[in-house]
Amino acid sequence: VTGCVNLGDIRSKYLKIKSGGIIGSGGNNFEISNCYNYGMIDAPDISTADNASGGIIGSITGNGQVRHSYSQGYLIKGTIAGSIVGKTVSNSGISNSVGAQKAVRGDKASRIVGDPESAMLSNNLAFQEMLINTTSLSSHDAGSKEGRDVTLQEFLGKNIYTSLSWTFDAGNWSIDEGRTMPYLSYQSTPARIN
């Protein structure tokens, strides 16, 4: 899956659901790249619900990968919740991606991935003011489930994304520096800032 955008909110009232801004769950050997989400992901966050919610994908299994993608908006909520991915299983990976949510809530909640079981995490960034439940966290480790801290001003500049190997050209990303986060080059209107 590449070049996808979600601007709508996703709400689930059911238990044991995998919810994501781009897709709910993915299986063996798939990849999501160059995608972004601006919607709120809202699933029950009670411990018995067993929901996984992520800004890009709710749950990844079997060597799935998320690359060069970001999620920005108000809230990701579920039993297991992350700004990019809710839960990973079986050597799945998240790399060169950005978690820019304002808040993530859940029993297992983190800035990049809520439950990183055996995940390969590398070069991921997160909004330094993001709240996890009601707490602001700080991290300097781009290979952790929290990602490395980045300011809003850094998110509005191209340099932070080129450091993650994002490509800014006619076939990939565009940015109005100082005004927007990246948007896909085929879009006529840039992404909004929440």
Side-chain angles (χ1 to χ4, degrees):
V1 177
T2 190
C4 293
V5 177
N6 174 49
L7 301 176
D9 293 343
I10 297 173
R11 298 171 195 258
S12 171
K13 62 182 181 178
Y14 300 103
L15 306 180
K16 301 185 184 294
I17 297 293
K18 311 309 181 228
S19 304
I22 301 302
I23 61 176
S25 65
N28 291 329
N29 301 315
F30 80 97
E31 179 178 322
I32 297 173
S33 63
N34 296 332
C35 293
Y36 69 92
N37 168 54
Y38 268 90
M40 175 175 61
I41 313 299
D42 186 3
D45 61 354
I46 54 175
S47 60
T48 57
D50 192 29
N51 292 317
S53 300
I56 300 299
I57 182 171
S59 178
I60 302 175
T61 61
N63 299 312
Q65 302 292 317
V66 176
R67 295 185 176 102
H68 304 111
S69 297
Y70 76 90
S71 182
Q72 187 212 11
Y74 179 70
L75 174 70
I76 304 292
K77 185 178 85 156
T79 309
I80 302 166
S83 188
I84 302 298
V85 177
K87 181 177 183 171
T88 61
V89 180
S90 302
N91 298 314
S92 299
I94 306 165
S95 62
N96 302 313
S97 293
V98 174
Q101 299 302 129
K102 292 186 179 177
V104 177
R105 285 195 349 217
D107 287 347
K108 288 184 180 180
S110 295
R111 297 190 316 178
I112 299 300
V113 55
D115 185 357
E117 179 187 311
S118 68
M120 295 172 283
L121 305 172
S122 65
N123 220 18
N124 297 302
L125 308 176
F127 180 41
Q128 71 178 15
E129 296 177 29
M130 184 188 308
L131 294 177
I132 302 301
N133 294 311
T134 58
T135 304
S136 181
L137 303 174
S138 181
S139 172
H140 301 288
D141 184 357
S144 75
K145 68 180 185 173
E146 304 300 345
R148 182 175 63 82
D149 290 348
V150 178
T151 67
L152 177 59
Q153 280 311 111
E154 288 176 294
F155 280 142
L156 300 179
K158 186 187 285 187
N159 290 344
I160 201 74
Y161 303 98
T162 56
S163 76
L164 300 175
S165 302
W166 290 32
T167 305
F168 288 84
D169 61 24
N172 292 289
W173 295 101
S174 296
I175 191 169
D176 290 343
E177 290 195 85
R179 290 188 47 237
T180 70
M181 289 185 68
Y183 55 96
L184 296 169
S185 58
Y186 68 79
Q187 295 179 285
S188 60
T189 305
R192 70 185 189 273
I193 295 295
N194 287 343

